[in-house]
Amino acid sequence: ALDWTSHRFSYKVIQTYLQALNQIKKTWNVKTFSLYAYSGGAIVALLVAANRQDVKEVVTFAPLLDHQQWTVYHQY
């Protein structure tokens, strides 16, 4: 449950997304990715994109701009 709340932007979570994209790339012979993300997923998408050369764009909808305030608000 922590991976979806207080740890959602952690190294472990981002590494899991990176591994998933690697598997998609390998399985489907994908060359580049476009990432679309909503709310807190926007931070995840940007962290993932920052660690890859094959993300051509990141599109965010209602991004969570201040994750620290969000964490305080939800008492995580």
Side-chain angles (χ1 to χ4, degrees), residues 28-64:
W28 298 99
N29 196 27
V30 173
K31 302 294 182 210
T32 62
F33 293 99
S34 295
L35 304 179
Y36 295 82
Y38 175 79
S39 189
I43 293 175
V44 173
L46 292 169
L47 289 170
V48 168
N51 286 282
R52 301 187 70 92
Q53 298 296 316
D54 55 3
V55 175
K56 67 177 185 173
E57 65 182 340
V58 178
V59 179
T60 64
F61 304 91
L64 175 62

Side-chain angles (χ1 to χ4, degrees), residues 1-47:
L2 293 178
D3 289 342
W4 295 107
T5 56
S6 61
H7 293 72
R8 67 196 290 190
F9 312 125
S10 70
Y11 177 82
K12 174 186 157 193
V13 170
I14 301 307
Q15 287 301 310
T16 301
Y17 280 100
L18 294 171
Q19 290 171 2
L21 291 179
N22 287 340
Q23 188 62 43
I24 291 168
K25 192 173 186 176
K26 180 181 174 184
T27 301
W28 298 99
N29 196 27
V30 173
K31 302 294 182 210
T32 62
F33 293 99
S34 295
L35 304 179
Y36 295 82
Y38 175 79
S39 189
I43 293 175
V44 173
L46 292 169
L47 289 170

